Amino acid sequence: MKKLNLDEIIRRRRSVRMYKEKKVEIELLEEIVATSRFAPSACNIQPWRFVVVTDKKKVKRIFSESLGGIVSNKWAHSAPVFIVACVKKSLMVHGIAARYKNIPFHLLDMGAAIEHILLKVTELGLGACWIGWFNKGAVKKILNIPRSIEVISLITVGYEAEQDKKRERKILRNDEIIFLNQYGGRFR
Ligand SMILES: Cc1cc2nc3c(=O)[nH]c(=O)nc-3n(C[C@H](O)[C@H](O)[C@H](O)COP(=O)(O)O)c2cc1C
């Protein structure tokens, strides 16, 4: 496969919700998650921690015990791997400073790290989907995650099934989101 440049990777990335049964090599998973190390974070605190779940029984338990409800995410039944994105919050940066500024720095840090992961997945020709609707408590229990660590998101990873249907998405135009010199200012 031809190596994609950054712009091609960014534009190609889509949420993949149906996977082949094919196993994802552990080396690839490490390469994917390691990209998070180079993400920016408030005060370079690097609060991200990731549990990569490949054990079939645990994958099944995460699916059956943490998904369901209003946004059911039942499509995730074919996912061979879950990456569980966790945060180790710092009292100073994510507690005191974030409260003072009223900005959840830990979520910004995690968003940047997770996007690195999604882009690397795309570069390697695999598929992934970010899951925000799940039961955090159930995941903590299944994976023995300590009380001091907060679970933020799940990411499914696998080889995309040919039958995967991409959901339609609308991409806003430049002039709807980029302004020059003042909010609403025409860029060009
Ligand atoms: C914070 C966050 C939470 C999300 N949660 C879910 C989810 O629970 N289930 C799901 O199917 N997709 C989820 N998504 C994926 C979005 O639906 C998807 O990124 C969006 O529709 C744009 O489509 P694309 O990723 O193919 O560009 C989530 C994405 C983000 C950033």
Side-chain angles (χ1 to χ4, degrees), residues 148-159:
S148 58
I149 302 292
E150 198 179 307
V151 179
I152 298 295
S153 292
L154 304 180
I155 307 159
T156 53
V157 181
Y159 289 94

Side-chain angles (χ1 to χ4, degrees), residues 13-15 17 73 75 129-133 167 169:
R13 187 216 56 77
R14 291 297 315 268
S15 292
R17 297 185 174 88
N73 286 315
W75 57 263
C129 186
W130 188 329
I131 297 183
W133 281 81
R167 291 188 188 163
R169 70 171 183 183

Side-chain angles (χ1 to χ4, degrees), residues 10-17 67 71-75 114-115 118 128-134 152-154 166-171:
I10 289 170
R11 284 162 192 264
R12 181 170 297 193
R13 187 216 56 77
R14 291 297 315 268
S15 292
V16 168
R17 297 185 174 88
L67 300 178
V71 178
S72 81
N73 286 315
K74 286 297 175 203
W75 57 263
I114 292 170
E115 178 67 353
L118 298 180
C129 186
W130 188 329
I131 297 183
W133 281 81
F134 66 101
I152 298 295
S153 292
L154 304 180
K166 300 286 172 305
R167 291 188 188 163
E168 250 186 62
R169 70 171 183 183
K170 179 178 186 278
I171 297 285

